[in-house]
Amino acid sequence: MIHDATNNMSWTKKHLLDIESLTAEEILTVLDTARGFKAVGERAIKKVPALRGKTVVNLFVEPSTRTRTSFELAATRLSADVINFTTEASSLKKGETLKDTARNLEALNAELIIIRHSASGAPHFLSRVLDAHVINAGDGAHEHPTQAFLDTFTIREKKGRIAGLNVTILGDILYSRVARSDIWALTKLGANVTLCGPATLVPKTFEQMGCRVTHDVAEAIRDADVINLLRIQHERQRKTMFPSIGEYTQQFGLTKARLAKTKPDAIIMHPGPINRGVEIDSEIADSSRSVILEQVTNGLAVRMAVLYLVNGGKSVANPAN
Ligand code: CP
């Protein structure tokens, strides 16, 4: 049976590569541990010694604002030494391979390597060639596991549970790693997941992941407890998937008129970056219904929990001690 109650199972995985391979209990272990770290973040002294003496590398080979900065802050709050690797200033530009780059970082005693890469499977590849712990910060259109943790953490915080909730993910599902990780996490935790968007971006094959697919936006959001919007991932699309941005907004954008026909307590989520006036009306993004910035805040606690657990942290109830 799937449940939302606090559980006391310890984490045993060396890496965090995806959500697909995790059990509901492992996901809840991360969420419960993150709750403890969120409380630490509300204290006057926000640092704990959990990773003192450890070196964490942020190996971001693709752009990021939220994920990179929150992993950096999370590692700092855990007292680790942090190296921020940027592609533009690296020898990747001179033709060095990802494997050689990562092995050189490991030779400098990097014990935890956080990787974002445009190629699906890059973190899995590194986990096979390195001794370091590898954490996936987004690989191509495959997975973005810490986004799924912060999304489910936020939903549980706002709604008190996940099992039985109606969660609609609206937008470009096909090219979204966030969608895939969210679908795995939400279905494992017992939510009813509906996917909606243009047929070219939301194929029926996604039903194999245990969710419902519809192309009728009014119907998709009417009974939703959570509406999670995704931007169009232009950087991953290899052909035109719909006639124009204007038409997309008209057909699938969350406008005030559409929002008026949803449950009054439905929350609006978005992993960011948002494209105001495209997938979301600008006023809605800034409204009290939006939890977009709370998601970002929760991302810090969740990433502290992931670094802590992957490094062998055991105490779920009070990770600050
Ligand atoms: N949600 C997310 O992954 O944002 P960034 O690309 O800014 O890290």
Side-chain angles (χ1 to χ4, degrees):
M1 193 179 112
I2 293 172
H3 55 86
D4 287 340
T6 299
N7 81 100
N8 289 309
M9 225 188 82
S10 288
W11 179 270
T12 55
K13 291 202 158 54
K14 179 178 177 182
H15 312 288
L16 172 66
L17 302 177
D18 52 42
I19 299 289
E20 183 180 2
S21 64
L22 301 184
T23 63
E25 285 72 23
E26 286 168 328
I27 296 168
L28 290 171
T29 295
V30 175
L31 302 191
D32 292 342
T33 307
R35 194 151 49 189
F37 281 120
K38 186 160 182 180
V40 171
E42 287 157 4
R43 299 193 315 212
I45 296 172
K46 298 175 171 53
K47 262 190 158 174
V48 292
L51 292 189
R52 186 181 289 157
K54 300 284 180 182
T55 301
V56 175
V57 175
N58 261 330
L59 177 52
F60 276 60
V61 190
E62 212 192 41
S64 168
T65 296
R66 284 145 287 270
T67 313
R68 197 196 63 73
T69 50
S70 67
F71 262 121
E72 179 180 356
L73 191 53
T76 306
R77 291 260 172 100
L78 293 169
S79 305
D81 297 319
V82 186
I83 297 168
N84 283 309
F85 177 98
T86 49
T87 313
E88 294 306 313
S90 79
S91 289
L92 280 172
K93 286 278 166 195
K94 301 177 197 166
E96 187 167 57
T97 64
L98 178 66
K99 177 179 173 183
D100 284 334
T101 298
R103 290 185 74 182
N104 276 271
L105 294 169
E106 199 174 49
L108 293 168
N109 292 326
E111 286 137 321
L112 294 104
I113 295 187
I114 301 157
I115 177 167
R116 170 169 288 193
H117 203 286
S118 58
S120 298
H124 302 69
F125 168 70
L126 284 193
S127 74
R128 292 192 292 273
V129 297
L130 299 179
D131 289 329
H133 302 281
V134 177
I135 296 169
N136 182 358
D139 62 325
H142 175 231
E143 281 227 33
H144 191 348
T146 56
Q147 183 70 44
F149 288 142
L150 75 89
D151 287 347
T152 47
F153 183 95
T154 304
I155 294 170
R156 193 158 77 149
E157 193 174 60
K158 303 304 285 187
K159 296 288 182 187
R161 68 191 168 101
I162 290 171
L165 290 180
N166 296 327
V167 180
T168 293
I169 307 178
L170 172 59
D172 174 357
I173 310 292
L174 185 62
Y175 292 98
S176 173
R177 55 196 176 209
V178 174
R180 284 174 181 77
S181 286
D182 276 355
I183 293 166
W184 286 122
L186 288 163
T187 54
K188 283 170 194 266
L189 296 178
N192 309 310
V193 179
T194 296
L195 308 180
C196 183
T200 47
L201 293 175
V202 192
K204 286 277 183 190
T205 49
F206 274 92
E207 287 175 347
Q208 290 163 12
M209 292 179 76
C211 40
R212 194 172 72 88
V213 168
T214 175
H215 306 113
D216 177 348
V217 67
E219 186 266 319
I221 61 178
R222 190 176 50 221
D223 298 320
D225 301 296
V226 176
I227 302 170
N228 192 8
L229 302 171
L230 299 177
R231 74 182 171 89
I232 306 299
Q233 319 269 313
H234 294 290
E235 69 275 24
R236 282 192 271 280
Q237 293 179 7
R238 289 182 182 83
K239 56 183 179 182
T240 306
M241 308 303 281
F242 48 85
S244 69
I245 291 289
E247 184 154 326
Y248 177 84
T249 304
Q250 191 188 31
Q251 296 287 321
F252 296 102
L254 188 63
T255 59
K256 285 191 280 258
R258 287 199 174 107
L259 186 66
K261 293 180 182 160
T262 61
K263 288 166 94 169
D265 62 347
I267 57 171
I268 310 303
M269 303 180 73
H270 194 308
I274 63 173
N275 289 141
R276 289 175 184 268
V278 180
E279 70 273 12
I280 186 167
D281 179 278
S282 191
E283 272 184 52
I284 297 173
D286 298 329
S287 74
S288 59
R289 299 279 293 273
S290 161
V291 298
I292 294 170
L293 293 178
E294 289 173 72
Q295 290 173 260
V296 177
T297 302
N298 291 334
L300 174 58
V302 154
R303 290 178 175 119
M304 287 176 78
V306 166
L307 291 170
Y308 169 82
L309 290 169
V310 165
N311 188 55
K314 293 287 180 231
S315 167
V316 169
N318 192 353
N321 290 334

